Amino acid sequence: MAREADEKTALGSVWLRAEPAPTRAPLDRKDIVLTALKILDRDGLQQLSMRRLAAELGAAATSALYWRVATKNDLLELAVDEVFGEALVPAEDGDWRDQLGTLARAAYGAFAQHPWAPQLLASHAGLGPNYQAYAERMVGILASAGFKGVHLDAAVSAVFHYVVGAAVTDAAWIATVRRSGLAESAWAEAAGDQLGVGAGALTSYLSREDAAGPEARFAAGLRVILVGLRPRRLS
């Protein structure tokens, strides 16, 4: 039994193990992951469990669930990579900054649609095919622009880490508001004065539609990074 458990978690990642062989089960891994995404988007990260997922899939699918996805950690890795797949938008015309900006905004937008996903990036490494394809797309754009060696690595890190950092910050605010049980506007009204910023300022800071909100701050910061990047050696 212990050996079987070890085999299910070998090397610490679902992406470093072979996918189970096909069966006559009523659903496949993709079905399971998409159902998990629905639960995560609707109820948040803390509410997802294998038992709850099995209930959502239906009793007839329970055995197939554990055959296809052995553990909750495996499920979360699969779910995060599915989100990265949404960021693989078609290449845009324009120079390398335009192309890189499009790719960065696509990832940030995907994380905004699935705010639980950034919370997992600190514990679930990017080993899935969509993550790898996203990283390769970014490397390809910068390499074509003339970035090389350590400068190429630094440029990729600057853009990618900015995207992740912005998404993680947004997700932390969303999680805090969700734990309160209040609507965003009601939470801002109650917390603004205590934080010393006022309800109006906090409402603007949190609202994605506001000119001072997360979307606008992200776009402004991304422009700073892209303008500052140059295909030359680091001094």
Side-chain angles (χ1 to χ4, degrees):
M1 200 66 161
R3 182 177 178 180
E4 181 179 348
D6 288 343
E7 289 175 351
K8 286 183 176 181
T9 57
L11 299 178
S13 173
V14 68
W15 301 114
L16 300 178
R17 301 189 300 276
E19 185 173 350
T23 68
R24 294 183 179 179
L27 77 169
D28 60 19
R29 182 179 274 182
K30 182 79 169 182
D31 297 323
I32 294 169
V33 173
L34 292 179
T35 301
L37 257 66
K38 291 179 183 178
I39 297 172
L40 288 161
D41 291 344
R42 184 184 66 219
D43 303 323
L45 184 58
Q46 300 306 316
Q47 299 303 316
L48 179 69
S49 67
M50 296 296 276
R51 180 176 296 181
R52 186 166 186 179
L53 178 59
E56 191 98 3
L57 290 166
T62 300
S63 60
L65 166 61
Y66 288 98
W67 176 253
R68 288 294 177 198
V69 183
T71 69
K72 182 178 176 180
N73 271 327
D74 285 359
L75 178 64
L76 293 176
E77 277 195 283
L78 292 163
V80 169
D81 199 63
E82 191 70 25
V83 173
F84 268 104
E86 296 179 15
L88 291 172
V89 295
E92 183 178 284
D93 294 333
D95 68 10
W96 63 269
R97 287 188 177 87
D98 294 330
Q99 295 171 22
L100 201 58
T102 297
L103 199 59
R105 287 189 295 272
Y108 180 73
F111 288 140
Q113 291 296 315
H114 309 284
W116 48 269
Q119 300 176 54
L120 295 172
L121 295 180
S123 56
H124 294 73
L127 300 175
N130 288 328
Y131 180 102
Q132 297 296 325
Y134 185 87
E136 288 171 9
R137 181 90 60 86
M138 190 172 284
V139 169
I141 292 170
L142 286 162
S144 296
F147 289 79
K148 299 177 182 178
V150 66
H151 194 203
L152 172 60
D153 293 340
V156 170
S157 294
V159 177
F160 185 72
H161 292 168
Y162 173 70
V163 172
V164 171
V168 168
T169 300
D170 293 352
W173 282 106
I174 292 169
T176 299
V177 174
R178 174 171 272 176
R179 285 195 300 271
S180 75
L182 299 173
E184 187 177 280
S185 58
W187 184 86
E189 183 71 31
D193 290 337
Q194 293 189 47
L195 293 172
V197 297
L202 188 55
T203 298
S204 294
Y205 183 86
L206 295 174
S207 174
R208 303 197 76 84
E209 289 75 37
D210 197 280
E215 295 274 2
R217 291 195 303 275
F218 174 79
L222 181 61
R223 283 195 297 272
V224 170
I225 291 173
L226 293 177
V227 168
L229 290 177
R230 295 285 189 279
R232 62 173 183 268
R233 290 194 177 193
L234 290 175
S235 56

